[in-house]
DNA sequence: CTTGGAATGTCAACATGACTGACTTAATGT
DNA sequence: ACATTAAGTCAGTCATGTTGACATTCCAAG
């Protein structure tokens, strides 16, 4: 810590600055979810369905346990969401080859379509924010978010970019 | 937009970059709420109570309508939370002086104590993230979050710093 | 080979915190 | 006097989280 700045340059760590960051996070998260929420409202799905579709689309063939770790809910809770998605033909669940206890999850064509629609809306919102703030701000944004994750989730987050 | 950068310097707007930002936001939000959530779990309150305490503590004397606008929930939903907080002696509701229809909200001493406990935990988490990322990153973080808010909420957010 | 434990997934019941809609009460303002 | 506004309430619904109990499958130790 000997190379930490001192005095006024630590202003970003005052309680007031931290509080503003907390409130910014709260308000921004609402904007973050507003676009997909609006789409979901029409079709009697919720955020939980969106999250499942997102991560299944991101890593096709993922088994339920891994999805559980990513979403951080109980398997019973995920199962309800997953069941409706499978019943509605948006997600396909294939029994594992090596281990028949496992179910591997895939988006159907219809599932892909909805996922794309939701993602496009959310990306459009993020794109506008990124554009407004500029590339340097985006770099800082990503750094703070990553530092804010719980260690286990940070590993999962990084893992998504590798395999 | 004639002064926007072009070519490779727009890499931060690719779909992949945006997707990573979206996932970062999702994972970070869990870290963001984890510390207060742990405290709340013990005392049969939820995030909704924390949010109410936070904003009442932030702007003592605020009336119900304003709190409603900030939280973005229905009055029925807020009322349930507020009623328990008042019954439990954490929040005081005073009839307005100028307009007797209004109720102005204040934290009691006990309410202040809990709010401080929750806020301290959350601030400690944010402080660690800020320190890790550094002041420049924090500036960018705040800029992107502000750009991400819905316009109406951005006004409310800014308004909290004035009066 | 069998059997018992661990891993995986499913079903049922319940809690919380959102929502809508209809309504009351009281105070305000035109 | 009457319409509007602020706050609160009652009733019902929905999405999404929770525990607990259970079935199936796999693997490894006896």
């Amino acid at each position: 810590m000997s190379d930490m700045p001192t005095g006024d340059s630590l202003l970003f760590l005052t309680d007031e600055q931290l509080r503003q960051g907390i409130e910014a996070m709260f308000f921004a998260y609402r904007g973050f979810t507003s676009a997909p929420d609006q789409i979901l409202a029409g079709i009697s799905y919720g955020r939980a369905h969106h999250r499942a579709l997102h991560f299944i689309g991101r890593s096709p063939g993922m088994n339920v346990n891994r999805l559980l770790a990513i979403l951080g809910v109980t398997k019973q809770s995920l199962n309800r969401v997953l069941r409706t998605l499978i019943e509605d033909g948006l997600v396909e669940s294939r029994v594992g080859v090596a281990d028949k206890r496992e179910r591997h999850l895939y988006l159907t064509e219809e599932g892909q379509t909805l996922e794309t629609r939701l993602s496009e809306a959310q990306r459009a919102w993020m794109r506008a924010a990124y554009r407004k703030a500029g590339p340097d701000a985006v770099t800082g944004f990503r750094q703070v978010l990553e530092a804010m994750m719980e260690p286990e989730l940070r590993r999962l987050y990084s893992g998504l970019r590798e395999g």
Side-chain angles (χ1 to χ4, degrees), chain A:
Chain A
M1 290 276 152
S2 56
D3 57 346
M4 281 298 294
T6 56
D8 278 355
S9 65
L10 278 174
L11 255 187
F12 76 115
L13 288 174
T14 63
D15 280 4
E16 178 55 24
Q17 288 294 318
L18 291 166
R19 194 214 285 266
Q20 284 177 28
I22 288 167
E23 288 171 354
M25 197 70 185
F26 171 67
F27 287 120
Y29 202 79
R30 298 245 295 273
F32 173 68
T33 56
S34 61
D37 279 358
Q38 248 180 309
I39 295 174
L40 291 161
I43 54 181
S44 83
Y45 285 154
R47 262 180 224 178
H49 299 84
H50 178 198
R51 290 195 288 258
L53 288 174
H54 174 101
F55 287 107
I56 296 171
R58 171 68 143 165
S59 306
M62 173 187 268
N63 68 25
V64 174
N65 236 3
R66 181 156 168 77
L67 184 54
L68 234 31
I70 289 172
L71 296 178
V73 297
T74 57
K75 60 181 176 173
Q76 295 90 331
S77 189
L78 173 58
N79 202 256
R80 182 163 2 114
V81 167
L82 228 38
R83 192 169 46 222
T84 69
L85 289 174
I86 292 169
E87 277 169 7
D88 296 351
L90 301 183
V91 167
E92 191 189 347
S93 162
R94 299 188 203 150
V95 173
V97 201
D99 187 335
K100 287 177 194 158
R101 291 174 301 183
E102 293 180 346
R103 300 297 135 88
H104 298 272
L105 304 169
Y106 300 86
L107 296 185
T108 64
E109 204 166 323
E110 198 186 345
Q112 187 59 252
T113 302
L114 177 57
E115 200 283 324
T116 302
R117 196 164 146 235
L118 292 167
S119 282
E120 274 304 326
Q122 193 162 37
R123 275 202 297 272
W125 192 274
M126 288 290 278
R127 195 177 292 118
Y130 273 23
R131 198 188 299 274
K132 208 186 288 184
D136 291 350
V138 167
T139 301
F141 170 71
R142 294 279 301 274
Q143 283 169 352
V144 174
L145 286 188
E146 201 157 332
M148 204 184 298
M149 296 176 197
E150 294 163 299
E152 195 193 318
L153 290 180
R154 183 156 50 240
R155 277 193 296 277
L156 272 175
Y157 169 71
S158 305
L160 286 173
R161 271 199 294 309
E162 286 127 34

